[in-house]
Amino acid sequence: DALIMADAPATNTLILCVLDGHGEHGDGVSAQFRDQLAMEMMSHPCWATDIKKAAADAIAKVEHQVIRNFRIDTEFSGTTLSMAIVRGNKLTGVNIGDSRVILGLEQGGKLAAEEFTHDHKPDSPGEKDRILAAGGRVFAVEYDDGIDGPPRVWLGHMDVPGLAMSRSLGDAVAHTAGVISDPEFTEKELDPSSDRVIVVATDGLWEFVDNDETIDLLFPTPGPAEAVDCLVKEANARWMQEEQVIDDTTIIVAHLFDYKASDD
């Protein structure tokens, strides 16, 4: 896993991004995005006027550099990307894969969760159609305990790569079976009277802690650092309980509009 937290004061912009690498060289893929993406976005000619174009072009450019990097074998390795870009009161979500951005909205003295980016799962409508049209297959593999695992992407003629998402960066083999690296964008005008928290996290959190539970867990915490600690602890406990292993979990929590800044 890797994360990006970057501030671009010239355009009053904040970039919050998590990357969840997978496969043998996944850490190399996510690290190259961590090191290069923010700079590529901010140096893009459209950065000040068209965030979506700047982000899409920068992502494609860094992915191209990763694929050409002979030290990183991207045949069966890649990364997710989930990013929240805050510019003034405008929030832009950028998503590739199954990491996620959610919001906490204040309603009647409580916080309610709102999903902002949407996971790219192989059985999602539209995603599955594209994979099948490319000659790929989508099916789940039964685990030893008889329970089906998540739907995965496979080549038409071979049982590889078994990728559990329909979009990713890298993953050359999966890309021949209809997996794509195009980001999906979501946009929202932030409301200072209700929008309080942004959470950007990898599936280490989302696997066993849903959006509503995440917001409920962080609501009592005094600040973002305590919120992250609380969520990581809960995610780890649930991983141990369910799987007896712990997935890498990367979480960013940001308070909006001075939320809780005046609290003790």
Side-chain angles (χ1 to χ4, degrees):
D1 285 22
L3 65 87
I4 302 167
M5 291 197 281
D7 196 16
T11 51
N12 186 27
T13 310
L14 177 65
I15 300 167
L16 307 171
C17 178
V18 297
L19 302 144
D20 185 1
H22 50 260
E24 195 181 337
H25 295 264
D27 52 350
V29 180
S30 59
Q32 192 155 340
F33 273 91
R34 177 196 67 209
D35 296 342
Q36 296 179 347
L37 182 61
M39 191 46 70
E40 289 292 351
M41 283 166 54
M42 290 189 255
S43 59
H44 190 285
C46 293
W47 172 241
T49 53
D50 188 344
I51 285 179
K52 291 194 290 188
K53 179 165 174 51
D57 288 354
I59 289 166
K61 182 174 176 182
V62 177
E63 184 186 33
H64 189 62
Q65 289 167 347
V66 170
I67 290 166
R68 286 174 51 206
N69 183 341
F70 68 89
R71 290 189 185 84
I72 302 173
D73 180 357
T74 53
E75 286 277 283
F76 294 104
S77 297
T79 187
T80 69
L81 178 152
S82 285
M83 179 160 51
I85 307 170
V86 186
R87 176 172 293 173
N89 284 5
K90 177 98 182 274
L91 175 63
T92 304
V94 187
N95 191 50
I96 301 165
D98 63 0
S99 298
R100 190 185 308 155
V101 181
I102 71 167
L103 293 169
L105 280 51
E106 193 164 1
Q107 293 174 351
K110 294 271 294 182
L111 285 186
E114 179 180 289
E115 187 166 285
F116 188 57
T117 64
H118 309 294
D119 303 1
H120 294 127
K121 298 290 192 188
D123 58 341
S124 305
E127 300 293 301
K128 185 175 183 178
D129 296 343
R130 187 189 64 243
I131 291 159
L132 299 179
R137 294 173 297 155
V138 174
F139 62 88
V141 175
E142 196 177 287
Y143 290 135
D144 295 339
D145 54 10
I147 295 176
D148 275 355
R152 296 176 182 275
V153 180
W154 312 88
L155 299 184
H157 60 289
M158 272 172 83
D159 287 349
V160 294
L163 190 65
M165 64 196 78
S166 59
R167 300 192 192 196
S168 73
L169 294 158
D171 288 303
V173 170
H175 277 64
T176 67
V179 170
I180 58 172
S181 44
D182 304 18
E184 186 173 349
F185 293 100
T186 40
E187 294 176 286
K188 174 186 165 97
E189 195 69 31
L190 291 169
D191 182 350
S193 69
S194 61
D195 295 339
R196 297 289 175 249
V197 187
I198 299 176
V199 181
V200 187
T202 61
D203 74 334
L205 175 63
W206 310 121
E207 186 71 35
F208 297 118
V209 185
D210 69 22
N211 297 347
D212 294 329
E213 290 176 298
T214 295
I215 297 301
D216 289 345
L217 284 162
L218 67 75
F219 181 59
T221 60
E226 295 85 357
V228 168
D229 287 344
C230 165
L231 290 170
V232 168
K233 274 201 190 80
E234 184 64 28
N236 287 350
R238 294 196 191 185
W239 271 96
M240 283 310 292
Q241 185 186 327
E242 298 283 338
E243 303 279 349
Q244 289 74 58
V245 294
I246 293 177
D247 188 23
D248 294 340
T249 305
T250 301
I251 303 171
I252 302 171
V253 174
H255 283 179
L256 296 165
F257 306 114
D258 293 331
Y259 178 54
K260 293 196 180 179
S262 57
D263 295 5
D264 290 330

